[in-house]
Amino acid sequence: MTFHIVTIFPEFFTGPFNHGVIAKAQAAGKLEIRIHDLRHWTRDRHRTVDDRPFGGGEGMLLKPQPLFKAVEAILPERTSKQKVILLSAQGMPFRQRMARQFSELEDLLLICGRYEGVDERVAQHLVDDEVSIGDFVLSGGELAAALIIDSVARLLPDVLGNEDSSRNESFTEDNEGLLDCPQYTRPAEFRGWKVPGVLLGGNHEEIKRWRQAASREKTERLRPDLLGGRQIRKA
Ligand code: SAH
């Protein structure tokens, strides 16, 4: 799979993808991340990407022309295996299910907004979707792009060491859309806090039942919104 990022700050991305499984997967050719400098598609001497909003108001907006040119040059065909996304505080909320859908694509192109945002014609006529990473306002789409690529990349075949490790996680269908269960490692007792005995026993059925119940209990406590009115059996 190839990820494309269109940004006015290409150097922002020298850090985020150079660690752990994402770095390894790139080195092994399992995924590619191409960073595109939006100014490359400007024509004027100052390489202008922004302009003042019609109707007045604070700040500047990214102009439509360089963004349209960039996307049309990077993905000239626009097949159903490609998606173009505008990062935006006004977009659909990014969820694990969306990450899983994106991981089926051949190309995912992410447009990073800056300043006060982006000319609305980009949202309406250039991109497939507007996507938000949460109900807060960032100063630019770059962090959002890095976050989305991280979560999609780890779902690609052979990126995580063990295929199962992306299955039984928080928000996945295998986990009924709930939070992952609490996990423990050695020592079995730390500062007087003991690991639940059932996990030390080796009875796989019992461990499975305990994990399901603990996962439901934690979801009820921290993210009741994920339950959507479902009944909870007490652990
Ligand atoms: N005026 C806009 C915010 C602009 S912030 C508003 O009030 O909705 C500048 C850029 O940061 C946006 O164009 C977008 O690309 C990015 N951004 C800000 N918040 C974001 C969020 N929650 N999710 C994804 N991208 C975001």
Side-chain angles (χ1 to χ4, degrees):
M1 178 171 182
T2 304
F3 298 91
H4 305 268
I5 302 174
V6 175
T7 173
I8 61 168
F9 294 127
E11 63 284 3
F12 182 96
F13 295 98
T14 44
F17 305 124
N18 288 346
H19 308 277
V21 290
I22 311 292
K24 267 196 217 139
Q26 284 184 90
K30 287 171 189 151
L31 62 95
E32 199 179 330
I33 301 170
R34 295 195 197 148
I35 317 290
H36 306 271
D37 185 349
L38 181 61
R39 290 187 202 279
H40 178 75
W41 284 279
T42 55
R43 285 277 168 271
D44 63 306
R45 208 154 52 88
H46 301 291
R47 309 181 85 200
T48 311
V49 290
D50 59 329
D51 209 335
R52 288 193 302 274
F54 278 122
E58 293 295 305
M60 303 294 270
L61 297 175
L62 289 184
K63 290 152 62 76
Q65 296 95 323
L67 284 168
F68 272 76
K69 278 196 183 147
V71 171
E72 286 161 3
I74 298 164
L75 299 179
E77 304 278 315
R78 299 289 292 268
T79 71
S80 60
K81 284 288 198 183
Q82 304 178 326
K83 253 194 200 302
V84 177
I85 298 295
L86 173 64
L87 279 332
S88 160
Q90 301 148 35
M92 291 191 287
F94 184 65
R95 299 259 184 274
Q96 188 66 19
R97 181 178 309 145
M98 204 186 276
R100 178 96 32 211
Q101 286 163 358
F102 287 170
S103 74
E104 310 281 324
L105 296 169
E106 284 166 7
D107 294 272
L108 177 65
L109 188 157
L110 301 167
I111 297 176
C112 304
R114 271 278 155 182
Y115 314 119
E116 289 305 311
V118 179
D119 184 288
E120 186 66 14
R121 286 165 290 191
V122 169
Q124 290 197 327
H125 305 296
L126 180 63
V127 304
D128 295 299
D129 289 305
E130 250 179 288
V131 172
S132 163
I133 60 158
D135 290 346
F136 41 79
V137 180
L138 299 165
S139 56
E142 285 76 10
L143 273 172
L147 179 155
I148 288 175
I149 290 175
D150 187 275
S151 65
V152 175
R154 64 193 290 289
L155 298 176
L156 296 174
D158 303 327
V159 169
L160 293 185
N162 175 356
E163 199 67 2
D164 282 344
S165 42
S166 72
R167 302 230 125 172
N168 225 327
E169 290 187 310
S170 297
F171 318 115
T172 58
E173 272 164 44
D174 293 25
N175 208 31
E176 299 178 55
L178 305 182
L179 300 180
D180 198 2
C181 62
Q183 307 259 34
Y184 299 87
T185 183
R186 275 182 284 252
E189 182 172 342
F190 171 69
R191 296 192 175 178
W193 299 301
K194 291 189 176 123
V195 171
V198 54
L199 298 178
L200 309 175
N203 180 334
H204 294 297
E205 257 321 296
E206 247 180 59
I207 291 174
K208 196 170 155 200
R209 271 202 304 278
W210 181 89
R211 286 186 163 154
Q212 279 170 350
S215 158
R216 291 200 189 103
E217 185 280 322
K218 191 161 185 184
T219 307
E220 188 177 48
R221 188 157 43 86
L222 298 182
R223 290 295 306 277
D225 57 298
L226 293 176
L227 295 166
R230 275 182 281 174
Q231 254 333 102
I232 284 299
R233 281 194 310 255
K234 279 281 168 212

